[in-house]
Amino acid sequence: MTALLDFNHREKKPTFADGVNVLIDHALVAEQATRPTRDYLGGSRLGDACQRRLQYEYLKVPKDEGSGFSGQTLRIFALGHVLEDLAIDWLRKAGFDLRTRNRHGEQFGFEVAGGRLQGHADGVIVAAPNGMAVPALWECKSANAKNWREIAKRGVVKAKPIYAAQIALYQAYLGLTEASALFTAINKDTCEIWHELVPFDAERAQAASDKAVRILRACDAGEQLPRHTEDPEHFQCHFCDWKARCWE
Ligand code: SF4
């Protein structure tokens, strides 16, 4: 059969908006490339489902061709920082004494395993107008409407185990285990806010800490950790920057 000729086909011409956006995204990606990369395992990442991915991150294994943060992803990160600053302002206006820096002007954080595991907390609440126990760890995340609704419906522990692991680990290493942590989630689409108290879970903190030890030991020994799945089409792998390296 003769192939039909498509006389109407046209390459889509970039719009004015495309041109400006490309300039912005190139600038953001170039700026990101100048930032030093982490040379430690981040406590906020330990709840990731895949140990192998954490190992790749820690060892700074080159990402697959064409992967890495896009301009849009960098804009999403930047928006998250702005929303966190707003949440700090809102809580303070509501009467919470929320500190984000210690007396030396540094972010609250911890370093263990010779600095190879580190975490930096969003803040600590030292006084509250609603009678909640203090001092309490404060963690803030922004989420799209779907994820935010999931958090508000099921709670952070069930909806986002990666955040729950981070909270438990930070409570443990910052000595904030007596009071529940205050977790804030901001809906990026509607600006709804969600707050919940997260009691310290020693088992969860220990599991995160043990995982860090396992990853660091494997890195030292040159051993590759197992994948979290046998299915290369798993959605976690779909978004992984090392998918080609890992499976091919
Ligand atoms: S591709 Fe999947 S299994 Fe491999 S490191 Fe990434 S998340 Fe883990």
Side-chain angles (χ1 to χ4, degrees):
M1 197 170 87
T2 316
L4 289 175
L5 295 174
D6 178 6
F7 292 107
N8 294 321
H9 177 77
R10 297 265 189 290
E11 281 291 315
K12 187 176 170 279
K13 265 180 74 177
T15 62
F16 171 79
D18 291 336
V20 177
N21 296 350
V22 163
L23 289 172
I24 290 174
D25 287 352
H26 277 173
L28 293 179
V29 170
E31 181 186 52
Q32 176 68 13
T34 66
R35 296 202 174 112
T37 52
R38 273 183 188 168
D39 49 8
Y40 58 86
L41 198 51
S44 61
R45 298 281 306 120
L46 277 177
D48 190 290
C50 186
Q51 299 177 67
R52 180 178 291 189
R53 175 160 53 194
L54 292 171
Q55 190 175 24
Y56 285 147
E57 275 181 25
Y58 176 72
L59 292 174
K60 298 187 188 180
V61 171
K63 294 176 179 175
D64 294 346
E65 183 89 27
S67 65
F69 297 137
S70 65
Q72 184 179 3
T73 304
L74 294 169
R75 283 185 272 122
I76 290 170
F77 289 163
L79 179 63
H81 293 311
V82 172
L83 291 175
E84 186 182 313
D85 286 344
L86 283 173
I88 292 166
D89 185 48
W90 296 333
L91 283 166
R92 285 180 177 160
K93 281 180 175 144
F96 290 83
D97 187 347
L98 167 59
R99 313 278 173 94
T100 55
R101 306 263 156 190
N102 64 21
R103 67 171 70 96
H104 308 295
E106 299 154 347
Q107 202 178 356
F108 294 102
F110 63 86
E111 277 188 34
V112 291
R116 299 205 298 162
L117 172 62
Q118 296 185 27
H120 302 94
D122 291 335
V124 176
I125 292 173
V126 298
N130 62 347
M132 62 174 269
V134 292
L137 177 78
W138 178 65
E139 274 302 318
C140 177
K141 304 287 181 196
S142 50
N144 62 27
K146 181 170 171 277
N147 283 326
W148 185 88
R149 278 197 297 270
E150 186 71 6
I151 292 169
K153 187 173 162 201
R154 302 174 67 211
V156 66
V157 171
K158 286 196 178 129
K160 293 284 168 193
I162 185 167
Y163 298 159
Q166 175 187 0
I167 289 169
L169 192 76
Y170 285 24
Q171 284 173 300
Y173 281 127
L174 293 172
L176 296 169
T177 57
E178 296 298 314
S180 297
L182 178 65
F183 177 71
T184 300
I186 305 172
N187 185 328
K188 281 191 275 203
D189 300 8
T190 64
C191 233
E192 289 169 279
I193 42 180
W194 165 256
H195 285 97
E196 70 178 279
L197 290 172
V198 186
F200 176 61
D201 185 325
E203 223 170 286
R204 190 174 298 123
Q206 189 63 55
S209 174
D210 290 349
K211 188 170 178 182
V213 170
R214 218 162 36 244
I215 293 166
L216 293 173
R217 282 198 181 139
C219 292
D220 290 345
E223 287 164 8
Q224 180 154 268
L225 284 164
R227 303 181 182 103
H228 73 107
T229 176
E230 292 309 311
D231 177 10
E233 297 312 316
H234 192 284
F235 79 97
Q236 292 272 0
C237 301
H238 182 64
F239 294 108
C240 179
D241 288 333
W242 293 275
K243 183 176 182 191
R245 176 181 295 274
C246 178
W247 289 99
E248 291 163 17

